């Protein structure tokens, strides 16, 4: 039963994440955190961090991580299968249609309307993570602002946008600074 | 039809190439497609450049992970159904293996004070990485200056962030708008010759 639920959940993630990579993130959050509460928000943000630091698509990484934690190795396999099943059918079909007609006008029009929606959904998921960092998972109040988190975020965004540092380098440095400050202040 | 041993060798080459690419490419779908092009177009000459470009467009515009989609397309093209299966397995095994190990360790390590401090620092970094991507993608959409697209972007954001409406409904609604626009365009241009 849990296998079926995992499969169905990740099938929806595979089916509706269009545009790759980050597009899967809001869907994973909707299924895994908001829907079934398989992960807490903190665990979800850790998962996204781990997925960024390791090779492989975010959806496949998430499927393995969640599947394994919920139902062991079988769960990991079932969830991963769920998230690639829509691709197996739809991409095979699309490649056939494409080879026959070489005309993707309707598809392209649908995609150009989907793109702004997907950007908005990624923005929303990103803001959820930012709010978690800024307020440390507590209620939004001035007193609960985590200034270390705010400083790290601002420095990281500057490094990425102005200096075009690689995301993996930026995240590793954030981790190192967080660890050093935490040890020094004894928190 | 190729002889059996030759076909097996082709499948093995496809499988191990994808396994290698998948295990060592960080940075998501676009990076992996670049590596696939280098191997399959420039090195093995299995696919020509134009076809690889078309496959990239298809992989990006289909549902699911770009890397898996690209593996499906290349696999079918190179060796039919068996090729597709070999390429997908090669793509999926490395992340499943790596995340399995991490997932097993996570339960034990996340409660460790130093690991928790490091992860917390990294969360600030990951928020910056994601919002940096949003910044770039959003700027690209703003540049289209299409009022419909800007409306979709604003409406989708309000629907999900303020009202918590199911992500799937939002994607379906945006897709519907796209279909409507495509049909309207066709009508205006009249029947095709």
């Amino acid at each position: 039963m849990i296998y079926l639920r995992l499969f169905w959940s990740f099938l929806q993630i595979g089916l509706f994440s269009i545009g790759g990579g980050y597009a899967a993130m809001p869907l994973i959050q909707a299924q895994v955190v908001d829907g079934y509460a398989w992960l807490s928000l903190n665990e979800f943000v850790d998962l996204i961090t781990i997925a960024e630091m390791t090779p492989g698509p975010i959806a496949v990484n998430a499927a393995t991580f969640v599947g394994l934690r919920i139902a062991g190795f079988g769960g990991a396999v079932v969830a991963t299968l769920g998230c690639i099943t829509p691709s197996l059918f739809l991409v095979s079909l699309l490649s056939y249609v494409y080879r026959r007609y070489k005309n993707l006008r309707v598809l392209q029009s649908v995609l150009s309307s989907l793109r702004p929606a997907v950007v908005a959904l990624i923005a929303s998921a990103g803001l959820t993570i930012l709010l978690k960092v800024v307020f440390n998972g507590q209620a939004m109040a001035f007193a609960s602002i985590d200034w270390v988190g705010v400083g790290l975020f601002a420095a990281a965004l500057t490094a990425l946008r102005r200096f075009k540092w690689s995301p993996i380098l930026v995240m590793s440095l954030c981790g190192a600074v967080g660890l050093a400050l935490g040890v020094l202040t004894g928190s | 039809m190729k002889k059996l041993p030759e076909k097996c060798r082709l499948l093995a080459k496809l499988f191990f190439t994808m396994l290698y690419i998948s295990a060592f490419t960080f940075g998501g779908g676009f990076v992996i497609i670049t590596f696939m092009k280098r191997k399959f177009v420039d090195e093995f000459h299995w696919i020509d450049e134009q076809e690889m470009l078309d496959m990239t467009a298809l992989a990006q515009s289909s549902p699911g992970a770009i890397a898996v989609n690209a593996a499906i397309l290349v696999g079918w093209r190179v060796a039919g159904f068996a090729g597709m299966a070999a390429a997908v397995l090669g793509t999926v095994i490395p992340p499943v293996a790596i995340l399995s190990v991490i997932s097993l360790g996570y339960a034990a390590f996340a409660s460790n004070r130093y690991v928790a401090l490091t992860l917390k620092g990294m969360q600030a970094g990951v928020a910056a990485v994601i919002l940096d991507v949003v910044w770039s993608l959003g700027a690209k959409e703003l540049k289209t200056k299409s009022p419909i697209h800007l409306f979709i972007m604003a409406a989708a954001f309000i629907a999900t962030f303020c009202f918590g409406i199911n992500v799937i409904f939002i994607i379906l609604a945006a897709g519907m708008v796209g279909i409507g626009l495509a049909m309207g365009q066709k009508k205006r241009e009249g029947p095709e010759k």
Side-chain angles (χ1 to χ4, degrees):
Chain A
M1 200 52 216
I2 185 68
Y3 287 145
L4 215 63
R5 224 175 290 158
L6 272 170
F7 183 82
W8 178 236
S9 226
F10 277 91
L11 188 87
Q12 292 175 56
I13 292 170
L15 185 58
F16 289 102
S17 59
I18 299 165
Y22 295 99
M25 199 173 55
L27 285 149
I28 297 167
Q29 190 194 347
Q31 291 288 333
V32 168
V33 184
D34 305 338
Y36 286 109
W38 283 329
L39 297 183
S40 69
L41 183 61
N42 188 51
E43 288 169 326
F44 170 72
V45 182
D46 281 348
L47 163 63
I48 298 296
T49 309
I50 292 166
E52 283 286 328
M53 300 287 294
T54 53
I58 291 184
V60 174
N61 289 342
T64 306
F65 187 83
V66 175
L68 201 79
R69 298 205 63 204
I70 302 305
F73 190 69
V77 172
V78 164
T80 304
L81 271 180
C83 92
I84 64 170
T85 297
S87 288
L88 291 180
F89 286 100
L90 287 169
V91 175
S92 299
L93 185 76
L94 269 177
S95 85
Y96 173 77
V97 170
Y98 175 68
R99 246 178 284 163
R100 279 205 64 163
Y101 301 105
K102 299 258 174 191
N103 182 356
L104 297 172
R105 240 222 331 226
V106 174
L107 184 70
Q108 273 159 356
S109 167
V110 173
L111 284 173
S112 69
S113 298
L114 275 178
R115 220 169 290 128
V118 170
V119 173
L121 296 178
I122 301 172
S124 168
L127 276 181
T128 309
I129 294 178
L130 179 62
L131 288 177
K132 204 230 143 233
V133 168
V134 170
F135 297 105
N136 220 345
Q138 287 161 344
M140 273 187 245
F142 189 77
S144 58
I145 291 180
D146 177 355
W147 292 104
V148 173
V150 173
L152 275 177
F153 170 78
L157 194 62
T158 311
L160 287 164
R161 280 222 75 81
R162 280 199 64 100
F163 305 114
K164 308 279 171 209
W165 288 10
S166 99
I168 292 188
L169 174 67
V170 169
M171 281 188 293
S172 308
L173 286 176
C174 283
V177 173
L179 175 65
L181 284 177
V183 170
L184 284 177
T185 57
S187 66
Chain B
M1 190 72 195
K2 283 183 179 113
K3 271 180 274 160
L4 202 62
E6 203 182 317
K7 173 126 188 180
C8 284
R9 223 174 307 142
L10 181 70
L11 288 177
K13 198 171 177 187
L14 186 59
F15 173 77
F16 284 111
T17 306
M18 286 312 301
L19 194 75
Y20 173 78
I21 294 178
S22 178
F24 292 104
T25 15
F26 296 81
F30 299 104
V31 184
I32 206 169
I33 284 186
T34 315
F35 276 84
M36 286 169 76
K37 184 206 162 263
R38 212 170 291 165
K39 280 277 174 197
F40 298 128
V41 179
D42 304 340
E43 206 180 314
F44 303 158
H45 305 290
W46 284 350
I47 301 169
D48 69 48
E49 181 128 22
Q50 182 55 45
E51 214 175 345
M52 193 70 211
L53 279 177
D54 287 348
M55 285 182 180
T56 307
L58 273 177
Q60 268 172 259
S61 44
S62 308
I66 293 182
V68 176
N69 293 348
I72 293 171
L73 290 167
V74 168
W76 270 114
R77 169 70 180 71
V78 171
F81 181 80
M84 187 269 275
V88 169
L89 268 181
T91 308
V92 166
I93 286 175
V96 169
I98 293 169
L99 260 288
S100 292
V101 173
I102 290 177
S103 176
L104 290 174
Y106 178 81
F109 287 126
S111 52
N112 176 289
R113 195 179 132 229
Y114 301 114
V115 175
L117 282 171
T118 309
L119 277 172
K120 214 176 128 201
M122 289 170 91
Q123 290 187 347
V126 90
V129 169
I130 291 163
L131 290 170
D132 175 50
V133 169
V134 167
W135 190 327
S136 306
L137 292 176
K140 217 189 272 172
E141 288 302 322
L142 288 179
K143 261 192 218 130
T144 65
K145 295 211 173 83
S146 148
I148 296 172
H149 288 183
L150 297 185
F151 172 76
I152 293 175
M153 190 150 72
F157 182 81
I158 293 167
T160 180
F161 196 73
C162 305
F163 296 107
I165 290 172
N166 192 324
V167 180
I168 291 173
F169 292 144
I170 297 171
I171 288 170
L172 284 176
M176 258 22 145
V177 172
I179 293 173
L181 287 177
M183 278 162 52
Q185 212 172 12
K186 224 173 196 174
K187 217 175 231 170
R188 235 173 299 134
E189 284 169 9
E192 273 169 79
K193 45 197 165 171

